[in-house]
């Protein structure tokens, strides 16, 4: 899959730099050529000798290296690759990238390049959560930088949380997706997925039976066609696919915010089972039995309709807006009415009566409703439904 591909790998200075060695090995196993660049700090964590030995190429590290400049100038170096991968992308490197600074070889290459960049951030959980880093992240995403990870987990510094660099194979999958030749290359597609959780109190919530399987499969199928995918997911049972930018949310209101932040997009697929209502009188404290025998009464407020909001945007509306309609009766009539009411372009309608086993199951039987009317698809695995839908989206965006 990666044969004939050249990756310019920028290794930043963090403890996760050791994983860059495995990443090089995995890339070369798949036939990719790796041109390694190390920051000065990276050399404190792994030796240039190990990196060069695994890459089978010399390591570039100094901006003012006359021999290297004579062989290949840094501008040219920034352009020879099919993809630039920054792993680990430290908080400092991200800040430099976001600001367009060029005070060492790595940052200069990143500024001079017109090649796509994929970064795998790795840092302490507090550094990751810091507003400055999150600002830089948002800026870099807006600049079109692809992001793999970070993952949640135990960190070398002893803390727990997001900030751990994605595993080498996850980064490889993101690289493969970024380099996938497909009809959606250069397109940005937004996908919502999973249920939302609407809190009742700090320990209880209202949810639904959506597993997120169909949304994950759709995001994966779109990425496989070369799209840059932003995957906004509620707390789903099925993990997100590799090679997509994942934004995790809990509530409908958070999902709307994440969707608005991720726009603009060429297409948006709203596969999430968003709670229509939230608990208006949710408690800040755990509700306790008071012994009176009276149960608390929950009041509900309507959640924003994310699909309708995006479908009815003036400027900045994605060219193709696809909604889902999970129905238990009069499927076609309800779904057709929903398409008109929400003003989306397509509706993927499905029958979610419990006896179909679709909600939470591995198969789906859908009817695609477009401006040309309904098309009944056969019962297929959720992966196959996803592939067909992704193919249709690619055709529509041509
Ligand atoms: N949707 C959304 N935001 C909401 C509710 C739904 O984005 N607050 C999206 C879903 O992701 C799906 C589509 O709208 O793509 C249909 O959702 P559904 O809940 O079936 O539609 P409703 O408008 O809630 O209609 P009803 O409850 O009458 O079935």
């Amino acid at each position: 899959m990666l044969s004939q591909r050249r990756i310019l790998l920028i290794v930043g200075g963090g403890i996760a730099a050791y994983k860059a060695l495995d990443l090089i090995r995995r890339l070369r196993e798949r036939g990719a050529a790796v041109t390694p660049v190390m920051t000065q700090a990276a050399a404190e964590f792994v030796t240039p000798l190990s990196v060069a030995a695994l890459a089978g190429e010399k390591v570039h590290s100094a901006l003012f290296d006359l021999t290297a400049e004579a062989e290949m100038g840094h501008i040219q170096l920034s352009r020879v690759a099919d993809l630039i991968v920054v792993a680990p992308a430290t908080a400092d490197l991200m800040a430099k990238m976001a600001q367009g600074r060029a005070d060492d070889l790595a940052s200069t290459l990143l500024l001079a390049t017109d090649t796509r960049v994929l970064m795998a951030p790795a840092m302490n959980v507090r550094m990751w959560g810091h507003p400055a880093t999150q600002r830089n992240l948002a800026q870099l995403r807006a600049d079109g930088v692809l992001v793999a990870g970070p993952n949640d987990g135990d960190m070398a510094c002893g803390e727990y949380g997001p900030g751990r660099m994605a595993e080498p194979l996850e980064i490889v999958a993101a690289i493969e997706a970024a380099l996938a030749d497909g009809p959606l290359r250069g397109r940005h597609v937004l996908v919502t997925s999973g249920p939302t959780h609407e809190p009742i109190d700090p320990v209880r919530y209202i949810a639904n039976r959506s597993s997120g399987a169909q949304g994950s499969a759709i995001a994966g199928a779109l990425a496989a066609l070369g799209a840059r995918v932003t995957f906004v997911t509620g707390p789903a049972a099925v993990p997100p696919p590799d090679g997509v930018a994942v934004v995790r949310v809990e509530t409908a209101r958070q999902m709307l915010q994440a969707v608005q932040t991720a726009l603009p997009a060429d297409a948006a697929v709203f596969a999430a089972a968003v709670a229509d209502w939230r608990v208006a009188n949710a408690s800040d404290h755990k509700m306790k039995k008071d012994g009176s025998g009276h149960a608390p009464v929950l009041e509900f407020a309507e959640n924003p309709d994310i699909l309708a909001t995006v479908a009815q945007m003036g400027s900045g509306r994605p060219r193709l807006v696809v909604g889902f309609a999970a129905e238990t009766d009069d499927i076609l009539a309800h779904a057709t009415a929903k398409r008109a009411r929400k003003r989306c372009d397509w509706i993927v309608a499905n029958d979610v009566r419990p006896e179909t086993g679709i909600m939470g199951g591995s198969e789906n039987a859908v009817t695609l409703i477009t401006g040309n009317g309904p098309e009944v698809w056969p019962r297929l695995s959720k992966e196959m439904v996803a592939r067909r839908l992704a193919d249709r989206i690619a055709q529509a965006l041509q």
Side-chain angles (χ1 to χ4, degrees):
M1 172 102 191
L2 291 176
S3 58
Q4 311 294 321
R5 302 298 201 149
R6 177 166 290 279
I7 310 292
L8 185 80
L9 176 67
I10 296 179
V11 183
I15 186 71
Y18 78 93
K19 288 193 199 168
L21 298 177
D22 194 32
L23 176 62
I24 295 171
R25 207 165 59 86
R26 304 289 184 176
L27 289 170
R28 296 210 55 211
E29 269 169 14
R30 284 160 180 76
V34 179
T35 305
V37 174
M38 295 175 74
T39 63
Q40 212 178 355
E44 302 288 336
F45 292 92
V46 286
T47 70
L49 189 59
S50 325
V51 171
L54 284 165
E57 290 190 24
K58 74 171 270 191
V59 171
H60 301 263
S61 53
L63 186 54
F64 302 108
D65 178 339
L66 287 181
T67 323
E69 278 302 308
E71 285 166 6
M72 186 194 288
H74 62 264
I75 301 292
Q76 196 190 343
L77 185 59
S78 77
R79 311 260 168 96
V80 290
D82 297 295
L83 187 71
I84 298 188
V85 176
V86 187
T90 58
D92 179 57
L93 209 40
M94 282 177 59
K96 282 184 178 170
M97 287 166 74
Q99 289 175 19
R101 286 175 54 188
D103 56 7
D104 62 5
L105 181 65
S107 54
T108 304
L109 292 177
L110 286 160
L111 193 62
T113 194
D114 52 7
T115 305
R116 280 199 305 164
V117 177
L118 180 140
M119 66 172 183
M123 66 198 72
N124 167 273
V125 57
R126 298 269 174 275
M127 291 169 83
W128 175 250
H130 195 284
T133 304
Q134 291 301 311
R135 260 197 320 274
N136 292 334
L137 176 67
Q139 183 60 57
L140 291 168
R141 279 222 164 95
D143 293 344
V145 172
L146 301 170
V147 186
N151 294 341
D152 279 8
D154 287 321
M155 309 190 62
C157 53
E159 292 186 70
Y160 181 92
R164 206 164 79 153
M165 188 167 88
E167 294 305 317
L169 283 179
E170 293 173 324
I171 301 174
V172 167
I175 292 170
E176 284 177 338
L179 290 175
D181 270 323
L184 288 174
R185 156 74 62 90
R187 305 282 188 203
H188 178 212
V189 185
L190 177 71
V191 179
T192 70
S193 181
T196 61
H197 283 183
E198 306 296 333
I200 296 171
D201 70 14
V203 295
R204 304 179 178 96
Y205 57 81
I206 292 176
N208 61 64
R209 293 185 197 282
S210 166
S211 64
Q214 188 63 82
S216 266
I218 292 168
L222 290 162
L225 294 186
R228 175 168 76 85
V229 178
T230 304
F231 185 64
V232 180
T233 177
V238 170
D242 290 331
V244 304
V246 182
V247 185
R248 293 176 197 277
V249 298
E250 286 203 353
T251 67
R253 287 192 292 178
Q254 289 167 358
M255 188 172 274
L256 174 63
Q257 172 119 54
V259 163
Q260 285 170 331
T261 306
L263 290 173
D266 296 286
V269 180
F270 294 89
V274 185
D276 288 325
W277 298 281
R278 65 179 177 276
V279 180
N281 58 342
S283 167
D284 290 340
H285 306 281
K286 186 181 169 202
M287 291 177 173
K288 306 293 273 182
K289 293 187 288 289
D290 63 5
S292 69
H294 291 298
V297 176
L298 299 181
E299 288 164 21
F300 290 93
E302 201 168 319
N303 268 330
D305 189 317
I306 306 164
L307 167 63
T309 305
V310 173
Q312 289 163 36
M313 278 171 70
S315 65
R317 180 193 193 272
R319 237 194 318 144
L320 183 70
V321 177
V322 183
F324 273 69
E327 308 288 348
T328 54
D329 32 37
D330 285 339
I331 298 161
L332 207 55
H334 278 137
T336 306
K338 204 168 276 184
R339 175 174 174 272
R341 191 171 67 243
K342 301 203 183 198
R343 293 198 227 140
C344 54
D345 302 296
W346 298 352
I347 281 271
V348 181
N350 60 3
D351 180 349
V352 290
R353 279 173 302 159
E355 56 269 35
T356 63
I358 283 174
M359 202 96 170
S362 61
E363 291 184 333
N364 208 350
V366 311
T367 300
L368 178 68
I369 303 172
T370 69
N372 299 327
E375 268 174 45
V376 181
W377 290 4
R379 191 175 171 116
L380 297 165
S381 68
K382 288 185 175 172
E383 273 68 34
M384 282 310 296
V385 169
R387 275 196 231 166
R388 273 175 91 139
L389 187 65
D391 284 340
R392 292 295 295 268
I393 291 171
Q395 281 169 20
L397 291 184
Q398 259 169 14

